[in-house]
Amino acid sequence: MLMKLFNILDENGSYINKKFIEKAFRFANDAHENQRRKSGELYITHPLEVACILAEMNLDENTIAAALLHDVVEDTHYTFDDVKVEFNEQVAILVDGVTKLEKIKYKSKEEEQADNVRKMVLAMAKDIRVILIKLADRLHNMRTLKYMPIDKQKEKAKEAIDIYAPLAHRLGISKIKWELEDLSLRYLDPNEYYNLVRMIAEKRAGREMFINSIIDELSDKLSVAGIQSEIEGRPKHFYSIYRKMINKNKSIDQIFDLTALRILVEDVGSCYAALGIVHTLYKPIPGRFKDYIAMPKPNMYQSIHTTLIGPQGKTFEIQIRTMEMHKTAEYGIAAHWKYKEGQTENGENDFETKLTWLRDILEWQGETSDAAEFMDSFKIDLFSDEVFVFTPRGDVINLPSESTPVDFAYRIHTDIGHRCVGAKVNNKIVPIDYKLKTGQIVEVIASPGMKAPSIGWLSFVKSNQAKSKIKAWFRKEQRDENIRVGKEMIEKECKKMKVVLYELLCEDNVEKLFKRFNIKTYEDLFAEVGSGEVLLDYVFNKISDLIKTNKEKLTIEEEQERISALLKRGNKADEKNGDVVIRGADNLMVRFAKCCNPVPGDDVIGYVTKGRGISIHRKDCKNASNLLKTEGEKIIDVNWGKIKSNEFISEIEMKSVNRDGILADVMECVVKCKTPVCSINAVTQSDGIALINLKIRVNSIEHIKTVIKKLKKIDGILEIYRLKK
């Protein structure tokens, strides 16, 4: 049974430790010993086939071992730690990444699916091999779907066409994408599928004769030109033909490319030389030429596509690519996985840029707690067509189809998005809701100072990244008011249900509440209710099983005391979660003095104000020194908890040579440091020196030092320092 896997490894010339693979096989075989599949086969046949699919993609031994073990933690008594001890941590992490979430009671299938997709996205962001195992797992399940009940067949086929085929496409793994789509069509629309198979089979003989004549003619011409090549006919996949027939309302006779020819050559120069010969022999159809070599797709796909008119007026498509491009077209990110290992820093960065879309999903998914909204946005990100536009410097930015300058601005930097007031497209000013087209050069017009995004932008932006940033800004801006409103709404509902609020927020419920609503604190819950992001009915439906009937009568003062104590504990929980905490100021309102803008890492003191809580100053602040002399009794010792968010404003001042482009260079440097900009202003002094004032959001004193260190390297910067008043 194991020989099939070893034969594939030998054919690929893989230098893989077969003893390690055999150990994983035997471990999985023993674990699944008494289990069988719906087909009646031993269960081990499934993980073995999954491993074979990944071996064909030439993946490493840890991935293949994890494929053999991928159901062990989910379906047997073995645990993550067992796998880690028996093999290694990397294998255990990969197995855990494809293991479904623990059995939780969900109110809908969509909610369960959303949680499992979230887990998968988080896991694949850490290690892309997680999704490669998951795709191989789903592909083999689809190959054996005939043994499942009809309702399950349709459910799994729908999931494959909605989630896994688009994921394979995004990762450039066409070999898996096409097979998943064809298998899904067979179960979702069997009549149309088998009708299509019959119609294509009827035309096969004539089509093959036509294609063979083209291959013979092209081979001769390319050989005479000294171009080494392999030419093959590629039958169009059923699902692709089906989509064209449905979407464009065409009959099978009207589909241009039922069969495509593929020319594989040695290098890029030979691709264009072969294209010249092709266009000399056959007449190209206008508007049917695409050069994905000059401008690759985000999933790394590169090829030249051209549709031509051949003998007897028959149309056909030719794809021209190098051998290496063909390998990438078949296996996508998997073909590049080997190159990632042992790369230089630049090579690592190149690999990571290929997964920009995944980082975008990771960024906005944390903003969405509603399962239906998450799945809708996730599918849009996977399915959406794209436009490719250029920055003024020539960098290519890919965006969803019909994106606007606002989407473009947020893709460049969050702060640029917030300050967007217009744009130039090909040097002409356009409105911010203008729909961008591929090939255009886009320049954002941003206000020099702070500017708020408009809630109306949500009606026309297309990228989930832009939507999540706009929503996050409004949530943060209105958070205090939303907390107050949300708390009042929940209190009112509690009275109606004869439930005391402290019981709703009791310590026993904390973990369940936070997990169910994907939040960190009670204030997060109040804010989401107050903003309308989460409906009150939804909250109480979710926690109905947690609410107890009030059995003791409390005075208003006693109830408030309990709530305050609970919120205080919540604040301590914040520290564990990485939110801002000032030790020594528990349960008191804290604000950070604008005169000195303290940030984590600064030596700080607290000043007890009247009615405004504690004001935090840097110890070297002039105002703090004066307060220490005049009102020393109101000074208290404070220090910092763990900080992870960019919530602190720091003001930096620079003196520089007054040259063209200095502000642009400063902004570019800050953007590369991934640091939000609040404002940037510059004035020219009487001595001709430019004075630049920069306000940025940072998370620590080390963050500021890093930015200053980078800014010092800019040509023309004479002096740079952090401001204190």
Side-chain angles (χ1 to χ4, degrees):
M1 193 182 286
L2 194 57
M3 284 310 298
K4 178 182 177 181
L5 176 58
F6 285 168
N7 288 338
I8 295 170
L9 294 175
D10 290 339
E11 286 170 16
N12 286 341
S14 302
Y15 296 102
I16 282 180
N17 183 349
K18 288 184 180 176
K19 287 185 178 178
F20 185 72
I21 301 301
E22 185 175 356
K23 179 183 175 183
F25 171 79
R26 300 206 178 284
F27 187 93
N29 192 34
D30 291 343
H32 296 295
E33 185 179 9
N34 298 318
Q35 297 174 356
R36 289 188 177 269
R37 306 198 80 216
K38 293 285 184 183
S39 62
E41 295 176 303
L42 291 172
Y43 194 88
I44 191 62
T45 57
H46 169 63
L48 182 61
E49 288 296 330
V50 172
C52 287
I53 292 168
L54 295 168
E56 288 170 359
M57 296 163 74
N58 206 19
L59 283 159
D60 61 299
E61 63 187 43
N62 281 331
T63 309
I64 294 170
L68 289 165
L69 300 163
H70 78 271
D71 279 333
V72 162
V73 173
E74 187 174 328
D75 293 337
T76 76
H77 65 278
Y78 287 105
T79 65
F80 172 90
D81 289 332
D82 293 332
V83 175
K84 180 180 173 181
V85 169
E86 197 67 30
F87 297 92
N88 59 52
E89 186 173 14
Q90 202 174 128
V91 171
I93 289 170
L94 291 173
V95 171
D96 183 62
V98 293
T99 300
K100 289 179 185 174
L101 295 172
E102 295 174 7
K103 299 298 179 185
I104 300 171
K105 289 183 180 179
Y106 292 97
K107 290 207 169 183
S108 69
K109 181 70 182 174
E110 189 168 47
E111 193 177 313
E112 180 180 4
Q113 186 187 60
D115 273 0
N116 281 309
V117 169
R118 277 184 202 273
K119 182 185 177 186
M120 183 175 68
V121 168
L122 290 167
M124 64 194 264
K126 294 175 185 173
D127 195 325
I128 197 63
R129 292 173 295 175
V130 167
I131 192 56
L132 300 181
I133 298 170
K134 191 66 183 174
L135 287 172
D137 170 50
R138 182 49 60 108
L139 178 57
H140 183 252
N141 281 333
M142 289 299 296
R143 286 174 179 174
T144 56
L145 200 57
K146 64 182 179 181
Y147 299 105
M148 300 291 285
I150 292 176
D151 61 326
K152 278 289 181 185
Q153 289 177 356
K154 291 192 179 295
E155 180 188 312
K156 295 297 180 186
K158 185 76 168 61
E159 199 172 56
I161 209 82
D162 281 355
I163 297 173
Y164 294 101
L167 265 174
H169 173 67
R170 276 289 193 168
L171 295 167
I173 312 172
S174 61
K175 195 173 180 69
I176 289 181
K177 178 208 175 206
W178 291 122
E179 191 174 350
L180 281 174
E181 288 181 338
D182 285 354
L183 288 168
S184 296
L185 179 60
R186 183 195 296 179
Y187 294 103
L188 291 173
D189 196 345
N191 292 336
E192 196 63 41
Y193 174 81
Y194 288 110
N195 190 37
L196 199 56
V197 171
R198 180 184 54 77
M199 288 190 292
I200 291 173
E202 287 173 359
K203 297 175 179 291
R204 180 173 296 153
R207 193 169 61 249
E208 286 180 353
M209 190 180 298
F210 171 76
I211 289 297
N212 288 335
S213 68
I214 300 290
I215 290 175
D216 292 340
E217 189 172 13
L218 274 174
S219 295
D220 292 340
K221 295 292 182 182
L222 291 170
S223 181
V224 169
I227 299 172
Q228 290 187 347
S229 64
E230 291 180 17
I231 309 176
E232 58 185 15
R234 179 185 68 81
K236 202 73 176 177
H237 295 276
F238 296 129
Y239 185 74
S240 176
I241 298 168
Y242 170 80
R243 284 288 300 273
K244 286 188 176 181
M245 290 172 65
I246 296 294
N247 293 345
K248 298 182 180 179
N249 197 25
K250 290 184 175 182
S251 68
I252 197 164
D253 296 318
Q254 295 173 300
I255 305 293
F256 283 143
D257 46 2
L258 279 178
T259 302
L261 279 172
R262 185 181 291 136
I263 301 175
L264 303 179
V265 295
E266 293 296 321
D267 52 48
V268 173
S270 298
C271 288
Y272 290 101
L275 177 66
I277 291 171
V278 167
H279 280 183
T280 302
L281 287 173
Y282 312 107
K283 188 176 180 179
I285 296 176
R288 298 283 299 173
F289 173 80
K290 293 174 183 174
D291 187 350
Y292 294 118
I293 293 179
M295 192 176 289
K297 291 185 177 183
N299 64 6
M300 301 168 292
Y301 179 85
Q302 287 184 284
S303 190
I304 293 171
H305 291 196
T306 183
T307 304
L308 309 133
I309 300 175
Q312 297 95 45
K314 291 183 178 179
T315 57
F316 65 100
E317 183 189 62
I318 285 184
Q319 299 173 356
I320 307 169
R321 62 180 75 142
T322 66
M323 304 287 186
E324 191 60 40
M325 289 173 191
H326 181 58
K327 183 181 177 186
T328 298
E330 292 285 294
Y331 297 118
I333 200 77
H336 289 253
W337 173 254
K338 288 281 186 183
Y339 306 142
K340 178 180 185 284
E341 294 176 315
Q343 276 183 338
T344 62
E345 185 179 341
N346 286 339
E348 177 75 14
N349 289 340
D350 289 341
F351 182 84
E352 293 302 325
T353 57
K354 301 178 193 304
L355 298 175
T356 302
W357 64 273
L358 176 56
R359 289 201 303 277
D360 290 342
I361 289 176
L362 199 63
E363 192 173 343
W364 62 253
Q365 69 88 25
E367 304 283 347
T368 309
S369 56
D370 181 69
E373 183 186 345
F374 169 76
M375 288 309 298
D376 286 345
S377 298
F378 184 71
K379 289 171 187 177
I380 287 169
D381 255 15
L382 293 181
F383 273 117
S384 61
D385 292 329
E386 293 180 302
V387 293
F388 302 88
V389 293
F390 296 92
T391 67
R393 293 192 176 193
D395 297 325
V396 179
I397 303 292
N398 60 292
L399 295 163
S401 181
E402 299 189 344
S403 284
T404 65
V406 176
D407 294 283
F408 178 88
Y410 277 105
R411 180 57 58 88
I412 299 300
H413 194 276
T414 301
D415 180 65
I416 301 295
H418 288 342
R419 295 191 295 112
C420 178
V421 292
K424 288 182 181 178
V425 172
N426 294 343
N427 261 342
K428 291 182 180 178
I429 292 179
V430 298
I432 57 175
D433 60 352
Y434 173 84
K435 292 178 181 177
L436 300 174
K437 300 175 183 64
T438 292
Q440 292 177 325
I441 299 172
V442 185
E443 182 181 353
V444 176
I445 301 172
S447 66
M450 281 296 288
K451 181 182 177 295
S454 167
I455 195 72
W457 291 358
L458 291 172
S459 66
F460 59 77
V461 293
K462 296 297 178 184
S463 63
N464 283 316
Q465 182 189 27
K467 289 175 184 175
S468 69
K469 293 294 184 186
I470 295 165
K471 287 178 180 177
W473 189 93
F474 280 101
R475 272 200 298 271
K476 184 178 177 183
E477 192 68 12
Q478 300 164 0
R479 181 173 170 81
D480 288 345
E481 178 61 13
N482 288 338
I483 288 173
R484 184 188 67 76
V485 172
K487 186 168 180 285
E488 285 179 3
M489 290 170 69
I490 290 177
E491 283 177 334
K492 190 175 179 181
E493 189 67 19
C494 281
K495 285 178 183 176
K496 209 188 286 184
M497 299 180 67
K498 297 183 179 178
V499 174
V500 178
L501 181 58
Y502 86 87
E503 291 185 339
L504 184 67
L505 304 179
C506 72
E507 198 165 351
D508 293 340
N509 292 341
V510 170
E511 191 176 339
K512 294 175 185 175
L513 277 170
F514 287 4
K515 190 172 183 179
R516 290 191 182 190
F517 291 102
N518 192 26
I519 57 174
K520 294 179 180 177
T521 68
Y522 301 113
E523 284 87 348
D524 289 342
L525 179 61
F526 297 153
E528 293 208 1
V529 171
S531 67
E533 284 287 316
V534 175
L535 295 176
L536 192 63
D537 287 347
Y538 180 74
V539 172
F540 277 86
N541 283 339
K542 277 281 193 182
I543 58 180
S544 58
D545 57 320
L546 304 179
I547 300 174
K548 302 170 186 176
T549 306
N550 180 24
K551 291 183 180 176
E552 56 179 312
K553 301 203 173 178
L554 300 171
T555 65
I556 293 173
E557 291 77 13
E558 287 172 328
E559 186 175 335
Q560 287 300 326
E561 275 178 25
R562 293 204 186 190
I563 292 170
S564 295
L566 288 162
L567 290 176
K568 185 175 177 181
R569 283 204 292 274
N571 284 337
K572 290 180 179 177
D574 289 354
E575 183 180 333
K576 295 175 187 174
N577 288 315
D579 290 335
V580 180
V581 175
I582 296 292
R583 298 192 191 99
D586 284 351
N587 208 31
L588 291 173
M589 186 167 63
V590 170
R591 64 186 185 89
F592 299 95
K594 291 183 180 178
C595 55
C596 56
N597 290 322
V599 303
D602 282 331
D603 287 334
V604 288
I605 59 172
Y607 171 67
V608 181
T609 65
K610 285 185 179 180
R612 291 189 299 164
I614 296 176
S615 179
I616 307 298
H617 292 260
R618 284 159 50 184
K619 281 187 177 177
D620 60 358
C621 171
K622 287 181 181 177
N623 288 340
S625 298
N626 292 335
L627 289 169
L628 198 57
K629 292 174 186 174
T630 59
E631 300 185 69
E633 73 282 358
K634 292 185 179 180
I635 300 296
I636 63 170
D637 289 329
V638 293
N639 52 48
W640 299 95
K642 290 183 181 178
I643 311 296
K644 290 182 181 175
S645 54
N646 289 12
E647 289 298 326
F648 301 88
I649 293 176
S650 183
E651 196 168 355
I652 294 171
E653 199 157 83
M654 292 164 270
K655 290 182 180 179
S656 78
V657 174
N658 188 15
R659 66 167 175 84
D660 290 341
I662 186 72
L663 281 181
D665 289 345
V666 168
M667 279 300 293
E668 183 182 10
C669 177
V670 176
V671 167
K672 283 183 178 177
C673 292
K674 296 181 179 177
T675 302
V677 177
C678 299
S679 68
I680 182 168
N681 295 293
V683 292
T684 304
Q685 300 182 131
S686 56
D687 57 2
I689 299 297
L691 191 65
I692 302 171
N693 181 276
L694 177 69
K695 284 185 180 179
I696 54 176
R697 288 189 183 276
V698 295
N699 56 34
S700 68
I701 190 70
E702 294 304 320
H703 190 166
I704 298 171
K705 287 177 182 177
T706 300
V707 175
I708 289 176
K709 186 178 178 183
K710 299 280 186 185
L711 288 170
K712 278 182 179 177
K713 295 180 181 178
I714 296 174
D715 183 33
I717 296 292
L718 304 173
E719 188 180 354
I720 181 168
Y721 45 86
R722 184 178 169 202
L723 274 185
K724 58 181 179 180
K725 296 175 185 177

